[in-house]
Amino acid sequence: MPADPEPLPTTTAELLPLALSRPHEALERARDLLSGNPPPLAASVARQAVGIVLREFGDIDAAVQELRTARRLARRSGSAEREADVQATLGVALAFAGRTTAGRNALDAAVRQSAGQLNGRILLRRGGVLLTLGHHHDALADLNNAITALRAADDPIWEARARTERATCNLALGSIARAATDLARAEDLFNTTGQELESADAIVHRGVLALRIGDLPAALLCFDQAAERFDKLGTPDPRLSIERCAALLAAGLPQDALDEAHTAVTQLERIHGQPTKKAELLLTAANCALAAGRPGDALDHATQAADLFDRQHRHWWRAHARLVEVRAQLAAGTTGTRLLRQAEQCARELATLSSPDLPLAHLIAGRLALALGDSALAAGHLATAARGRRRGPALSRAVAWLAEALRAEAAHDPARLMRACRRGLQVLDQHRATLGSSELRAQASAHGAELAALGQRHALRLDRPRLLLSWSERWRATALAVPAVRPPDDERLQAELAAIRAVTSNLAQARAGGLPTAHLSAEQRRLERAARSRALHAHGHDAAATPGCDVDALLDELADGRLLELVDVDGHLHVIVCGSGAIRRYPAGRTEQAARHIDLARFTLSRLAHGRSALTPAELLTQLESLGHTLEQALLGDAVHHLGDRDVTIVPPGRLHAVPWALLPSLRHRPLSVAPSARSWLRARHTGTPGHGRVVLVRGPGLASQGAEIRDVTTEYPAPIVLGEGSATVGRVLRAMDGARLVHIAAHGTFRADSPLFSALRVDDGPLTVYDLERLNRAPGQVILSSCDSGLTAPTGADELLGLASSLIQLGTTAIAASVVLVNDVAAVPLMIALHRRLRTGAGLATALRDARLDTAGDPVATATGLAFVCLGAG
């Protein structure tokens, strides 16, 4: 019987934990140790440490070789425990190398060969592999047994690791409360044992849990806290940055996500971090840049990522980076034979990988072939992409229906085109919430907007204004959808959505690693069906019904008033005039030309308001008058002769929100509202403004006017609630706003077009965000924002304000008054006082704003200030 092996020196035993925390140092120390011809036991540990580092750096084949050597050395040392531990590490490496049967056999042998504490640690590793492969119930059994063994052995660090893994498993099974309990306990264990790095990682896991259930503010808070911990430790974490980017994208903040990815890449390069992680971060940055509308940056990042993946022999990753390259070039307006060939090559690579993105590659190739006039080649690619329209994951089916729609349009088959558009949008409506990642949801929105745009184009060809209005509203419902930042109220639906997102994430990782995905794919489809069924049941109606506008109800509500919906079809504006029981269409100008006139008008307004011009105020005002006539023709065309003599509501397209509409001569003397969609206007009208209730006046810090209008307006109302000079805290403002009739906030703001729920007003103790308003039992009826600048130099556009209006209208607010350019705080004071006096007489917000504008138009600066304000919603 061999003698027991000598115990390992402390420095040698430290190599294994060091391999994960400081891999470069671990690699150097292990190789130094091996150069001294150590005994088998120590050599086994060193080889195992090298294998772990190589595995983490993506060199799986070399890792397997090192671990097999480590196993032979362990056997020679006579330590059964050492051999079992290496055998388990080898099993994990083999599984991640795609050799899952061999990997699972090695792990099974290690479990049989071990007992007690070591058995618990090996069960943890086997459970992790089973989880990755989608065998969730088997994984849960292993992890339960691992935690029992590790707790009995008083091994708190490994117990914490096992609880973290079990939380991921429970999340995939929809057990949110159990996952949260495990993560909280794991974090406590890491804290009490002084594991600062893993404690920070536990906060990341809490953030991922919040992200999976759809609580984006909580997720971002966790990621911020974790980033602060990692910064103190001087150890940037690429995984944190990737998850943070996912949360920001899900919140509709692509530019913030891109900035995060850029920072993470820079940090990783500075510390010479893992090349595998750098490649993944670059691909994340490419997707963020695409979402942010920066295709040039997306192309640069995707090309770098693809080159790195190629050198790392990571074929799945490389193929998907190449797909992003093609998408970026297409987004930049590139066409041509060369790009078509790239798309076709990408499709061939994705086909060999059985990638779910294959239909998207064929869709792009078909689109490029259409642009080149090769209808036969286009038909082939689009037909291939369209094959999956009745089966498979929701997004793949939506892509397939879009391909079918393009194929029908090219074949001049209008009935098939309309059917494909409706069916594709139906799939997206039914499954939007179940899409497992922010990238998938962004793609879904883009595909939905294109399907609706195809419907618009067809309605225009038929010259059917009512149909054009329906498809325009359908487009707005998709393209202007506000990302949800809080989880749904239905706890079971919340659990199912969290499970879908967890499984989708695991599925993407398994595909990237070349692992079997049958179990995960089946689970994904099952969960999608269950969540859709529950959502239909919870909503009490058919969620597949078109979320457009009830046109008859719209006309009834308008009576003899007018709603003008501007539609951009292929760069040309069309005005749909609704009112007096009829819907008519009139052509207007080109979108690009109108956008240039708008920019000039806003620039001139700003110069007049702030005295930044060599011209006199009177000369600038004359310029503005001329611009108003030019804008009117570009935006309204012949529709200007069909406005009647009543109130007007404007529904502009996405690119033309930031318009000082009162500058247009035919609109200046009318009560005028601007709405994100006809449907949102109708909703606000049906909500109605309460005739009685609290009036809340809030003055934020840092205003040039010191919020003077708040002091003067106070006397206009009996017992208003006035907050400011330290009392305007987020909590007190929210309590005062809850159910108020009218809220006036004089505060600097940051308004987000990309994610309105993250728009914020600056009050005394920090930002008051729109998602904070979701905590209200009842939103305020009307809101006035009198100092809506970004706090520095960037003007607030109606782009952003319409996003804010859309959010507040959904919460129950009926109308908002705010400016579309950076206003002169001091000049706004008389306008605001006049506005409140008109409101006190019972006028609606749009009428009161019109009258206040006319009452205070005594000099050019006052006139410009009045023209800068618009009424958003249903005034």
Side-chain angles (χ1 to χ4, degrees):
M1 181 175 178
D4 289 338
E6 291 291 324
L8 284 168
T10 303
T11 53
T12 304
E14 288 173 349
L15 285 175
L16 296 179
L18 204 62
L20 292 174
S21 61
R22 297 199 295 275
H24 289 289
E25 182 182 341
L27 195 60
E28 184 179 351
R29 285 171 57 174
R31 285 176 172 161
D32 283 347
L33 178 62
L34 290 168
S35 67
N37 195 24
L41 188 66
S44 171
V45 173
R47 293 284 185 184
Q48 186 180 5
V50 172
I52 291 170
V53 172
L54 292 173
R55 182 192 71 196
E56 294 300 305
F57 275 58
D59 195 346
I60 295 291
D61 291 338
V64 168
Q65 284 186 336
E66 289 287 346
L67 292 169
R68 281 180 170 152
T69 302
R71 184 176 59 181
R72 286 196 301 271
L73 289 165
R75 196 169 292 154
R76 282 174 50 195
S77 75
S79 171
E81 284 196 350
R82 176 99 283 279
E83 183 180 351
D85 191 58
V86 177
Q87 180 94 319
T89 305
L90 175 61
V92 173
L94 286 168
F96 288 158
R99 300 167 62 182
T100 52
T101 301
R104 291 183 66 177
N105 287 340
L107 283 161
D108 291 345
V111 169
R112 290 192 300 270
Q113 199 173 346
S114 60
Q117 181 184 31
L118 179 60
N119 183 256
R121 294 183 176 189
I122 292 173
L123 283 169
L124 163 58
R125 280 176 269 184
R126 189 172 73 174
V129 168
L130 291 170
L131 176 60
T132 301
L133 295 175
H135 299 279
H136 296 119
H137 292 286
D138 291 341
L140 185 61
D142 269 0
L143 294 168
N144 286 340
N145 290 332
I147 290 168
T148 300
L150 294 166
R151 192 166 57 238
D154 193 22
D155 189 350
I157 295 175
W158 278 78
E159 182 190 342
R161 292 168 182 166
R163 286 184 178 277
T164 301
E165 199 79 348
R166 188 170 71 176
T168 304
C169 188
N170 272 321
L171 191 56
L173 291 169
S175 299
I176 296 172
R178 290 176 180 174
T181 299
D182 267 340
L183 288 178
R185 179 59 180 152
E187 191 174 346
D188 285 344
L189 289 169
F190 285 135
N191 284 330
T192 56
T193 53
Q195 300 297 309
E196 294 180 87
L197 198 63
E198 292 191 273
S199 175
D201 192 54
I203 300 174
V204 177
H205 279 90
R206 274 202 287 118
V208 171
L209 172 62
L211 180 58
R212 298 289 185 262
I213 66 174
D215 192 343
L216 299 182
L220 291 168
L221 177 62
C222 286
F223 294 148
D224 287 345
Q225 292 172 344
E228 187 177 339
R229 293 271 198 101
F230 283 118
D231 286 344
K232 286 180 180 177
L233 294 169
T235 310
D237 181 26
R239 177 173 171 269
L240 165 61
S241 295
I242 290 170
E243 296 290 359
R244 209 176 191 179
C245 287
L248 291 166
L249 284 175
L253 303 170
Q255 185 58 53
D256 296 56
L258 181 58
D259 293 342
E260 171 69 25
H262 283 163
T263 300
V265 170
T266 301
Q267 288 178 332
L268 203 64
E269 287 174 340
R270 189 174 63 245
I271 65 169
H272 306 291
Q274 298 179 25
T276 54
K277 295 302 180 186
K278 179 181 176 181
E280 291 170 26
L281 280 169
L282 283 167
L283 183 55
T284 297
N287 281 309
C288 293
L290 264 184
R294 295 173 58 175
D297 289 343
L299 178 59
D300 289 343
H301 295 320
T303 301
Q304 291 180 60
D307 290 344
L308 280 174
F309 289 135
D310 192 39
R311 291 200 292 272
Q312 295 163 7
H313 307 292
R314 300 168 74 187
H315 304 302
W316 187 95
W317 289 93
R318 181 192 62 195
H320 287 80
R322 296 290 187 215
L323 178 60
V324 176
E325 282 187 83
V326 172
R327 289 174 58 203
Q329 291 177 79
L330 188 65
T334 303
T335 54
T337 305
R338 181 172 173 274
L339 184 57
L340 174 58
R341 298 292 171 256
Q342 280 184 254
E344 290 181 319
Q345 174 60 31
C346 192
R348 285 191 291 271
E349 287 188 35
L350 292 170
T352 63
L353 296 165
S354 300
S355 169
D357 286 329
L358 178 60
L360 180 59
H362 280 295
L363 173 67
I364 292 170
R367 199 192 303 275
L368 289 167
L370 283 175
L372 292 169
D374 192 337
S375 55
L377 183 61
H381 280 297
L382 293 174
T384 301
R387 285 175 189 160
R389 58 189 183 275
R390 291 187 173 87
R391 63 184 183 278
L395 184 61
S396 295
R397 281 185 282 140
V399 169
W401 280 115
L402 176 55
E404 176 69 5
L406 290 172
R407 189 161 68 121
E409 185 181 46
H412 307 291
D413 187 338
R416 189 156 56 103
L417 168 64
M418 288 293 94
R419 184 169 60 252
C421 289
R422 283 191 291 269
R423 290 294 299 276
L425 287 166
Q426 186 180 65
V427 168
L428 291 174
D429 292 337
Q430 291 173 349
H431 291 280
R432 191 181 309 278
T434 71
L435 295 172
S437 74
S438 54
E439 183 187 348
L440 296 183
R441 290 191 289 277
Q443 284 187 40
S445 293
H447 297 327
E450 187 170 1
L451 284 163
L454 285 169
Q456 284 181 308
R457 194 183 304 158
H458 177 64
L460 184 62
R461 281 196 295 264
L462 295 177
D463 196 18
R464 292 173 55 186
R466 191 182 184 104
L467 184 62
L468 181 59
L469 175 64
S470 295
W471 278 105
S472 174
E473 285 293 298
R474 194 64 187 78
W475 177 86
R476 291 169 195 278
T478 300
L480 303 181
V482 176
V485 299
R486 298 287 189 192
D489 293 331
D490 185 326
E491 290 186 2
R492 187 61 204 153
L493 176 59
Q494 183 185 130
E496 286 169 346
L497 295 179
I500 288 169
R501 291 164 187 153
V503 167
T504 301
S505 175
N506 294 342
L507 184 57
Q509 292 173 19
R511 284 182 175 133
L515 303 178
T517 58
H519 280 84
L520 286 168
S521 296
E523 183 70 357
Q524 181 192 42
R525 290 192 295 271
R526 184 192 69 78
L527 288 167
E528 280 186 355
R529 287 193 299 269
R532 174 181 175 270
S533 175
R534 185 168 296 279
L536 290 176
H537 178 74
H539 295 156
H541 66 273
D542 185 3
T546 301
C549 180
D550 184 333
V551 177
D552 291 330
L554 174 67
L555 291 173
D556 288 344
E557 187 67 34
L558 282 168
D560 290 329
R562 294 291 185 269
L563 182 142
L564 278 57
E565 183 146 331
L566 278 63
V567 184
D568 178 0
V569 180
D570 297 330
H572 291 271
L573 289 173
H574 302 266
V575 184
I576 305 172
V577 180
C578 308
S580 297
I583 299 174
R584 301 177 180 87
R585 177 189 67 85
Y586 301 95
R590 290 190 60 82
T591 308
E592 287 293 341
Q593 187 179 33
R596 286 195 293 271
H597 292 320
I598 292 166
D599 288 342
L600 182 57
R602 296 179 72 242
F603 176 65
T604 306
L605 262 180
S606 182
R607 289 167 73 200
L608 182 53
H610 296 278
R612 299 169 183 159
S613 174
L615 298 177
T616 67
E619 289 171 329
L620 283 172
L621 195 57
T622 301
Q623 268 192 10
L624 273 177
E625 295 291 346
S626 176
L627 279 168
H629 286 280
T630 303
L631 264 179
E632 183 168 275
Q633 187 57 39
L635 291 170
L636 302 184
D638 291 341
V640 75
H641 304 300
H642 302 274
L643 300 182
D645 57 1
R646 302 288 296 277
D647 298 5
V648 171
T649 299
I650 303 285
V651 178
R655 296 184 58 198
L656 304 180
H657 283 167
V659 180
W661 292 99
L663 186 60
L664 278 59
S666 62
L667 301 179
R668 185 170 304 177
H669 299 287
R670 298 171 182 271
L672 172 68
S673 302
V674 183
S677 67
R679 187 186 187 197
S680 68
W681 178 84
L682 191 58
R683 184 190 301 118
R685 291 279 293 188
H686 287 166
T687 300
T689 303
H692 304 282
R694 292 191 309 281
V695 173
V696 179
L697 307 173
V698 179
R699 181 173 66 248
L703 298 172
S705 67
Q706 301 297 311
E709 73 267 29
I710 298 297
R711 180 186 62 247
D712 293 335
V713 165
T714 300
T715 59
E716 295 289 330
Y717 299 98
I721 297 175
V722 183
L723 299 173
E725 297 182 354
S727 65
T729 61
V730 170
R732 295 183 74 172
V733 170
L734 284 174
R735 285 192 293 275
M737 290 178 72
D738 203 327
R741 172 170 65 89
L742 172 66
V743 174
H744 180 136
I745 302 179
H748 293 309
T750 305
F751 298 98
R752 309 288 309 232
D754 46 9
S755 188
L757 295 183
F758 282 83
S759 297
L761 295 165
R762 183 181 163 206
V763 293
D764 285 336
D765 62 342
L768 171 66
T769 61
V770 179
Y771 69 74
D772 286 323
L773 299 179
E774 288 193 319
R775 290 151 50 188
L776 299 175
N777 294 316
R778 190 155 54 93
Q782 296 179 328
V783 176
I784 299 170
L785 305 173
S786 60
S787 300
C788 304
D789 67 88
S790 66
L792 292 171
T793 58
T796 297
D799 228 10
E800 290 79 359
L801 291 172
L802 270 183
L804 176 62
S806 180
S807 302
L808 288 175
I809 287 169
Q810 288 182 20
L811 295 172
T813 296
T814 60
I816 302 166
S819 64
V820 298
V821 298
L822 182 63
V823 294
N824 184 319
D825 281 352
V826 175
V829 172
L831 179 73
M832 292 297 107
I833 294 171
L835 173 62
H836 280 279
R837 285 177 180 162
R838 292 289 183 172
L839 288 172
R840 285 280 287 144
T841 67
L845 191 56
T847 301
L849 181 59
R850 186 272 314 267
D851 293 344
R853 184 186 300 122
L854 296 175
D855 290 346
T856 57
D859 65 76
V861 174
T863 299
T865 302
L867 293 173
F869 277 84
V870 295
C871 176
L872 303 160

